[in-house]
Amino acid sequence: MKAFNKIFAAVIAMIILIFAVFNLLFASSDNTDSGRPYRVEINRLVFEIEQSGFDSVDMSGCEYVTHIEKYSDKFYDSDSDYTIREINGVLYRFDYTTYMESDKSSVMLMVNIILGILSAMIIGVLIFIRIKILLPFENLTNVPYELSKGNLTCPIKENKSRFFGRFIWGVDLLRENMEQQKQRELDLQRDKKMLLLSLSHDIKTPLSAIKLYSKALSKGLYDGREKQIEIAESINTKADEIESYVLQIITASREDFLSLEVEMGEFYLSELISKIKLYYTEKLRLIRTDFFVGSYMDRLLKGDLDRSVEVLQNVMENAIKYGDGKSIDIQISEEDGCLLITVRNSGCTISENELPHIFESFWRGENAENEKGSGLGLYICRQLMHKMNGEIFAEIKDGFISVSMVFSKA
């Protein structure tokens, strides 16, 4: 904004300079002979009088000289501007008008008015740019910086600008999502800690009993066979109890720790495919991978468009990461009232035995040893597809691996 203020001040100064220079040049042009055209006519008439005499002068073609008076008693009586010349020893008065000078002033005034209007338009455009374009960005200056530090920020005021209204709304939505994600992470950490504290406390009781029973047995406090069997059964019961707590911990670790949210609605297949083609056509061209999208008829699907794009992007990224880089294609088909979108890539690098596990959380195959990742991409895809009442599955055939997403038609 400071830079714009400097530019604005420079434009104002330039406009003032243009006005000053123009008026100065226009005014100075009056002092030259070219600015007094009546002198040209007077010089011509003087020449005619010198050559042919006063009686032969023809004034029909004169625009500025209105009358010629030969010297007499009322020689100096004239209501208009005049100049006196001596021709062949006789004085002559040449009356003339300067109506063209007034026209020149009118032209000067008109040009100044036009320049003023243009200047006002330029200033208006600059003010419009400042209010409608720069100020919305000024309001966003500190938002990304504060979010990057993890600080909470004030909501961004709604802006109905046709230029950046959607952009500002998107930034505010991003701010809200980041704050919600931060809160969910804090809640998750709290719940995880409370779960561990609770389970560790519950495990202590049966564990202490097992330790007491085992110590008693080791010291031979129970001589009878029946009593020893009873103690062994008690130890087994407490061990089962501990095992159930361990299963709770394992189950909790496998549940929806990502808090994936889906807004069910309807969207067109063409919207989904166009978003994928827009991004991956150029990306795959740069890495020299053939990319092909099969023909399809547009259909209205059930689900969340944004989440569907996320699923398809995750599958595409896996195809790029674990394929051989030769080709990736998307095929679309219809079966039993559902629509299948299949991403197929050449260069299958996983075995048939590993295929059933690729949608599990934190699972990574042998082909992922040298690749970055967390093993959550396809797990997230399956969770999202289930939330949208769909399905996802994979198969290997003829050296190609295909991942198919099943969507319900609206």
Side-chain angles (χ1 to χ4, degrees):
M1 191 61 72
K2 291 182 179 179
F4 177 80
N5 290 337
K6 291 180 179 179
I7 293 173
F8 188 78
V11 170
I12 297 296
M14 187 175 295
I15 289 173
I16 294 173
L17 181 62
I18 290 172
F19 267 96
V21 170
F22 169 76
N23 284 279
L24 183 63
L25 291 176
F26 210 94
S28 64
S29 66
D30 291 343
N31 297 325
T32 63
D33 288 342
S34 61
R36 300 180 181 183
Y38 62 88
R39 289 186 176 184
V40 177
E41 289 188 356
I42 292 173
N43 291 334
R44 179 175 59 80
L45 293 170
V46 169
F47 179 76
E48 288 182 4
I49 294 171
E50 287 179 346
Q51 296 297 321
S52 305
F54 177 71
D55 296 331
S56 64
V57 174
D58 182 12
M59 294 184 59
S60 59
C62 296
E63 292 185 35
Y64 304 100
V65 178
T66 59
H67 179 69
I68 303 176
E69 181 71 27
K70 196 172 181 179
Y71 184 79
S72 62
D73 294 337
K74 297 181 179 181
F75 183 73
Y76 296 101
D77 295 338
S78 177
D79 295 330
S80 65
D81 294 330
Y82 64 87
T83 184
I84 297 174
R85 297 289 182 89
E86 182 180 354
I87 305 172
N88 299 327
V90 180
L91 295 178
Y92 291 87
R93 189 188 77 217
F94 294 86
D95 295 341
Y96 62 87
T97 181
T98 57
Y99 67 90
M100 292 301 291
E101 298 296 326
S102 62
D103 286 353
K104 191 174 184 179
S105 299
S106 300
V107 171
M108 183 176 179
L109 177 62
M110 184 177 294
V111 172
N112 275 283
I113 290 173
I114 293 172
L115 286 175
I117 293 172
L118 291 176
S119 301
M121 290 176 62
I122 292 171
I123 293 172
V125 169
L126 291 175
I127 292 173
F128 178 82
I129 292 173
R130 185 180 190 277
I131 294 173
K132 295 295 184 180
I133 298 178
L134 296 182
L135 278 181
F137 279 103
E138 183 73 12
N139 296 332
L140 298 175
T141 302
N142 293 323
V143 173
Y145 179 67
E146 293 297 327
L147 289 176
S148 68
K149 295 192 297 183
N151 298 334
L152 297 178
T153 58
C154 296
I156 302 172
K157 293 182 179 180
E158 184 178 357
N159 191 305
K160 296 183 180 179
S161 169
R162 60 179 177 175
F163 299 107
F164 300 107
R166 185 173 176 82
F167 172 75
I168 294 173
W169 174 79
V171 172
D172 191 48
L173 187 63
L174 175 63
R175 177 195 63 81
E176 289 180 0
N177 288 339
M178 292 182 70
E179 291 179 359
Q180 290 173 4
Q181 183 178 359
K182 182 179 179 181
Q183 187 61 43
R184 284 198 298 266
E185 289 177 356
L186 292 175
D187 292 341
L188 178 63
Q189 293 298 327
R190 182 196 62 193
D191 294 342
K192 187 185 293 184
K193 190 166 185 178
M194 292 296 294
L195 175 65
L196 291 174
L197 288 173
S198 175
L199 291 175
S200 62
H201 181 269
D202 292 339
I203 289 173
K204 266 186 179 181
T205 303
L207 187 61
S208 298
I210 290 174
K211 290 178 69 176
L212 288 173
Y213 290 145
S214 62
K215 189 176 291 185
L217 288 173
S218 65
K219 290 183 177 181
L221 296 179
Y222 305 105
D223 296 331
R225 177 66 178 170
E226 293 182 359
K227 191 65 176 178
Q228 290 178 354
I229 293 173
E230 182 182 347
I231 295 300
E233 290 177 351
S234 298
I235 291 174
N236 188 53
T237 302
K238 298 300 180 182
D240 290 340
E241 191 175 341
I242 292 174
E243 186 179 8
S244 70
Y245 292 135
V246 173
L247 286 174
Q248 289 183 42
I249 295 174
I250 294 172
T251 302
S253 67
R254 289 182 176 271
E255 286 179 351
D256 287 340
F257 52 89
L258 293 172
S259 300
L260 299 172
E261 296 180 359
V262 170
E263 293 183 5
M264 288 297 291
E266 297 178 352
F267 63 91
Y268 282 100
L269 172 63
S270 57
E271 294 181 87
L272 175 60
I273 299 300
S274 62
K275 287 178 180 289
I276 297 301
K277 288 176 66 176
L278 180 65
Y279 179 72
Y280 285 101
T281 299
E282 181 65 18
K283 180 175 181 177
L284 294 177
R285 186 183 67 81
L286 292 175
I287 61 176
R288 300 181 183 279
T289 298
D290 294 334
F291 180 52
F292 173 75
V293 178
S295 60
Y296 62 91
M297 293 183 64
D298 204 4
R299 292 285 186 267
L300 190 62
L301 306 178
K302 291 182 180 179
D304 185 330
L305 176 59
D306 294 330
R307 289 304 195 181
S308 300
V309 171
E310 182 179 348
V311 170
L312 200 47
Q313 283 182 344
N314 279 345
V315 175
M316 287 291 297
E317 291 298 326
N318 267 22
I320 294 171
K321 187 184 296 184
Y322 300 114
D324 59 7
K326 292 182 179 179
S327 67
I328 296 175
D329 60 75
I330 298 176
Q331 299 293 339
I332 299 160
S333 59
E334 298 182 36
E335 292 183 13
D336 299 329
C338 297
L339 187 132
L340 276 69
I341 301 177
T342 301
V343 177
R344 189 180 71 150
N345 65 276
S346 60
C348 178
T349 55
I350 65 171
S351 63
E352 292 280 357
N353 296 331
E354 293 180 314
L355 191 62
H357 303 288
I358 64 174
F359 295 105
E360 296 178 3
S361 60
F362 300 109
W363 183 89
R364 305 194 73 199
E366 294 180 359
N367 61 338
E369 292 181 356
N370 299 322
E371 298 286 349
K372 294 181 180 179
S374 59
L376 287 173
L378 292 179
Y379 169 79
I380 292 173
C381 291
R382 186 177 66 175
Q383 296 301 311
L384 290 175
M385 290 304 299
H386 286 175
K387 287 179 178 289
M388 292 189 292
N389 301 321
E391 189 55 81
I392 185 170
F393 61 91
E395 61 179 348
I396 299 173
K397 186 177 180 181
D398 300 330
F400 287 80
I401 180 169
S402 302
V403 178
S404 299
M405 291 139 283
V406 183
F407 292 88
S408 300
K409 294 182 183 178

